[in-house]
Amino acid sequence: MPRLPFLALLGVLMTAALPLRAAEVHTFTLDNGMEVVVLEDHRAPAVVHMVWYRVGAADEPPGRSGIAHYLEHLLFKGTEVRAPGEFSELVAANGGTDNAFTSQDYTAYFQRVAADRLDLMMELEADRMVNLQLDDRDIATELVVVQEERNQRTESDPGALFAEQRSAALYQNHPYGIPVIGWMHEVEQLALEDAVDFYRTYYAPNNAILIVAGDVTPDEVRQLAETHYGPIPANPDLPERIRPQEPPHLAERRLVFEDPRVAQPYVVRTYLAPERDAGDQETAAALTILAQVLGGGQTSELNRRLQFETGQAIYTSAFYGGTSLDDTSFGLLIVPAEGVSLDEAETALDDAVAAFLEEGVDAEQLDRIKMRLRAALIYGEDDLQSLARTYGMALTSGLTVQDVEAWPDILQAVTEEDILAAAAEVFDRRASVTGWLTAPADATPAEEAIQ
């Protein structure tokens, strides 16, 4: 009897042992326009309850950067019936956890609790969707918290500051070039009216998606959603989601970011790249796999060529985030080995990419990557929060439930020709930013000690 190759055998066993979708997916829309997705999975008596708003940092009014993230903080203040902080206290008292997050394209709030506490979670979340109470004292205290968050996460980290500068250079006109947390000089000027106006405009059921994952039935979720969210009126004046778009990029951009705190210099190049679009995800799938081929682990092309063969790098990577509403980015990174300059490292990176494009994709490596991606999607089904987040990110970024469900098969269908064609399209230096992160050449001994 002939033996199957190991990867093929693993694929057969994995497919037989684990269905790609453990959760049953159900969708419906309330009369007020709120979309609902139910991910039914009865393997554990728990649920994840998430409300996603189709608004993020890229939807902020000019000069008010950081307001989306700031309002996320303020939603944990009081409502007409709840005292400040009471929301999270009630979740914890019922054995659950809660949090929120903001990106360029969405703002989301979630709780993970026992399934029999879903009614209470909807009651709490629906309350703060419409009844948030703010005053100047809330604004003042929470503004200090947000500023301190920026100090800790960005101002104290040269790599984070470097990333901000690269994004600002890559996006010449689109608001993706503005950091989610906001520019400090604008965050300092945010006022009560800014938060209230943003809240009243965008926090409405017809701009929200409810996702419930776990030990529930669609009928149960529908009944609870109609009870708690159904009475909230839609916002008839919800603005159309129109953003400034990028003009044609005609010239490569370069920057050198120097900071005495930098201990290990490195080079990053980011290219403007297409995102996943509804009904048209093939190019994004090819770029997803290209990032794995070039920078996904020890067997990746960049790692093999620049670490093992030439010894010019101690670390390499490639990255691509395709789930966004507008054009995203594809990036390459090299951390040079001792004695290799940033100029030499950049040249080595370019040479390695050029050699890969000429030689093509190794068939066995492509099979391994596809199997790894398939396994990640399958095992991701066991994490209710991750699963709910996958759907939330997609739906707030212009994709559909059908696009999410089609994505695994689209990834598996990617060919070498698709990968090389996507690379040829994206690797246009005119639509790129090359950045060097390094310490100043004249760093003092004291500064070097800090490093």
Side-chain angles (χ1 to χ4, degrees):
M1 179 179 177
R3 293 185 177 180
L4 287 172
F6 174 73
L7 285 174
L9 179 59
L10 179 61
V12 170
L13 294 174
M14 182 172 292
T15 303
L18 291 169
L20 188 54
R21 296 183 185 91
E24 292 289 334
V25 183
H26 311 269
T27 63
F28 55 90
T29 303
L30 302 183
D31 291 342
N32 58 14
M34 187 175 195
E35 295 182 27
V36 183
V37 178
V38 182
L39 305 173
E40 185 179 3
D41 185 339
H42 299 288
R43 291 180 294 174
V47 294
V48 171
H49 171 263
M50 307 188 86
V51 172
W52 296 70
Y53 293 96
R54 289 188 177 91
V55 64
D59 302 296
E60 296 166 338
R64 296 294 183 267
S65 67
I67 190 66
H69 171 255
Y70 183 31
L71 183 58
E72 174 213 311
H73 279 245
L74 292 173
L75 243 72
F76 291 88
K77 297 297 183 180
T79 68
E80 294 177 359
V81 297
R82 304 290 181 195
E86 185 178 352
F87 186 108
S88 295
E89 291 173 1
L90 281 170
V91 174
N94 283 271
T97 58
D98 74 312
N99 213 324
F101 48 88
T102 304
S103 84
Q104 294 285 7
D105 296 316
Y106 51 77
T107 309
Y109 302 83
F110 68 91
Q111 303 85 41
R112 184 183 181 99
V113 293
D116 62 359
R117 300 297 193 271
L118 179 59
D119 186 12
L120 175 60
M121 297 305 106
M122 287 201 190
E123 177 188 341
L124 292 172
E125 199 66 77
D127 177 40
R128 68 176 175 181
M129 178 184 285
V130 69
N131 294 321
L132 186 65
Q133 296 292 297
L134 298 174
D135 57 30
D136 288 320
R137 183 173 52 187
D138 293 326
I139 292 293
T141 56
E142 206 61 35
L143 203 56
V144 173
V145 173
V146 172
Q147 291 172 31
E148 184 57 29
E149 182 179 340
R150 180 178 168 90
N151 284 330
Q152 291 180 356
R153 295 186 178 183
T154 305
E155 304 294 345
S156 64
D157 183 353
L161 292 170
F162 179 47
E164 276 191 349
Q165 295 300 307
R166 296 199 322 271
S167 292
L170 182 63
Y171 292 100
Q172 299 174 328
N173 191 51
H174 194 284
Y176 282 171
I178 300 172
V180 170
I181 201 169
W183 300 118
M184 182 66 91
H185 69 284
E186 292 185 348
V187 171
E188 291 172 343
Q189 301 303 315
L190 293 176
L192 175 62
E193 310 84 71
D194 299 320
V196 171
D197 288 347
F198 202 79
Y199 173 70
R200 290 177 176 170
T201 299
Y202 295 107
Y203 279 54
N206 53 323
N207 197 42
I209 302 167
L210 168 64
I211 299 180
V212 180
D215 189 18
V216 292
T217 65
D219 290 342
E220 177 188 2
V221 173
R222 183 187 293 271
Q223 179 182 358
L224 292 174
E226 289 177 345
T227 297
H228 297 295
Y229 295 109
I232 302 175
N235 178 9
D237 300 319
L238 182 69
E240 188 176 354
R241 205 173 191 189
I242 299 175
R243 297 168 171 174
Q245 297 297 304
E246 284 297 288
H249 285 207
L250 305 178
E252 174 185 5
R253 272 134 288 143
R254 303 183 63 85
L255 63 91
V256 176
F257 189 87
E258 295 184 341
D259 191 301
R261 297 170 294 180
V262 174
Q264 176 61 66
Y266 57 87
V267 179
V268 179
R269 179 177 298 131
T270 49
Y271 298 85
L272 209 61
E275 78 284 3
R276 291 168 61 185
D277 288 323
D280 183 16
Q281 303 183 89
E282 284 73 17
T283 299
L287 291 172
T288 298
I289 293 184
L290 174 63
Q292 292 295 310
V293 170
L294 290 176
Q298 291 297 309
T299 61
S300 67
E301 288 288 334
L302 295 181
N303 192 67
R304 176 177 64 83
R305 296 173 187 273
L306 298 175
Q307 288 186 249
F308 294 135
E309 293 183 2
T310 69
Q312 294 169 292
I314 60 173
Y315 179 77
T316 60
S317 181
F319 49 92
Y320 169 71
T323 308
S324 64
L325 188 63
D326 297 313
D327 279 353
T328 182
S329 62
F330 188 102
L332 303 169
L333 179 148
I334 179 170
V335 180
E338 186 176 358
V340 178
S341 68
L342 291 180
D343 186 48
E344 292 169 335
E346 182 182 339
T347 299
L349 180 66
D350 289 337
D351 290 345
V353 172
F356 159 74
L357 293 175
E358 184 174 343
E359 296 172 12
V361 182
D362 178 82
E364 290 189 3
Q365 183 191 22
L366 181 56
D367 287 343
R368 286 195 300 270
I369 288 170
K370 287 184 177 181
M371 185 57 60
R372 189 164 67 237
L373 291 173
R374 180 176 177 81
L377 290 170
I378 291 173
Y379 294 131
E381 292 278 322
D382 287 332
D383 186 337
L384 292 177
Q385 189 165 311
S386 175
L387 184 63
R389 187 164 182 156
T390 295
Y391 279 87
M393 288 175 60
L395 297 177
T396 51
S397 301
L399 299 173
T400 66
V401 168
Q402 291 72 31
D403 292 316
V404 176
E405 294 178 342
W407 180 244
D409 290 337
I410 292 174
L411 285 172
Q412 295 302 310
V414 170
T415 66
E416 177 186 25
E417 291 73 21
D418 296 331
I419 295 169
L420 295 177
E425 176 185 348
V426 168
F427 290 159
D428 180 351
R429 293 286 284 269
R430 295 172 300 176
S432 75
V433 173
T434 303
W436 291 9
L437 177 66
T438 186
D442 59 348
T444 66
E447 290 169 335
E448 291 174 353
I450 292 175
Q451 297 172 28

